[in-house]
Amino acid sequence: MADLAQLYQSVILDHNRNPRNFHPMTDADRSAEGYNPLCGDRLKVWLRLRNDVIEDVSFEGSGCAISKASASLMTTAVKGKTLVQVQEMFGLFHRMVTGMLEQDAEAKALGKLAVFSGVSQFPTRVKCASLSWHALRNALATPGAKPPVSEEG
Ligand code: ZN
């Protein structure tokens, strides 16, 4: 596992140390939790939608550097994107970390998320990198997750 050091590039270290959008969201429309028993990573993703656009997104949790940095980068990547764009991004990201990307152009389309391309060589790390994405997708798949307001007082 000598190459593992290469996995921890400066971007990953930066996002692990200073995760972006790292806070609960009190006015979120939806949320979902993710747990990766292989590594012990736990996180929760919140998001707020306006029509088909992710207006805001945040996360909180604890885990390894890969899982935390990936969640942080994910929030910066999907904020302001449409649901269709996010689905495309999820598909590309998943194919990248599982080593299924066919062209460099696809990696380029992922922008900064491409720092996780090395993960494909470490199968046990794939779940770490994709945990936040699965949580995001679960949150999106949960309709009307806002708790109903009691009108009876
Ligand atoms: Zn992990």
Side-chain angles (χ1 to χ4, degrees), residues 36 39-41 63-64 66-67 125 128:
N36 171 18
C39 183
D41 311 314
C64 66
I66 299 278
S67 68
R125 292 295 192 172
C128 302

Side-chain angles (χ1 to χ4, degrees), residues 9-131:
Q9 297 171 34
S10 58
V11 176
I12 296 177
L13 286 172
D14 173 38
H15 278 263
N16 177 50
R17 258 196 305 261
N18 303 300
R20 318 300 197 268
N21 306 302
F22 190 70
H23 56 81
M25 196 188 298
T26 52
D27 57 346
D29 301 318
R30 301 171 186 216
S31 66
E33 292 177 31
Y35 174 52
N36 171 18
L38 291 176
C39 183
D41 311 314
R42 281 182 192 278
L43 54 80
K44 184 169 181 179
V45 172
W46 290 266
L47 59 94
R48 195 170 67 237
L49 291 170
R50 176 168 291 184
N51 300 321
D52 278 346
V53 173
I54 294 187
E55 189 177 62
D56 200 7
V57 54
S58 68
F59 82 104
E60 217 176 44
S62 61
C64 66
I66 299 278
S67 68
K68 208 165 173 183
S70 181
S72 173
L73 274 157
M74 179 196 75
T75 60
T76 64
V78 304
K79 197 185 271 192
K81 297 287 194 301
T82 67
L83 297 184
V84 171
Q85 288 173 318
V86 169
Q87 287 296 345
E88 281 175 7
M89 222 183 280
F90 177 90
L92 280 175
F93 185 84
H94 193 256
R95 279 161 61 203
M96 177 181 72
V97 295
T98 52
M100 303 292 278
L101 274 193
E102 283 159 21
Q103 306 157 16
D104 288 346
E106 289 188 320
K108 282 205 181 84
L110 282 166
K112 269 194 176 178
L113 297 173
V115 300
F116 294 102
S117 59
V119 167
S120 65
Q121 291 169 37
F122 303 93
T124 57
R125 292 295 192 172
V126 171
K127 278 202 180 355
C128 302
S130 54
L131 182 65

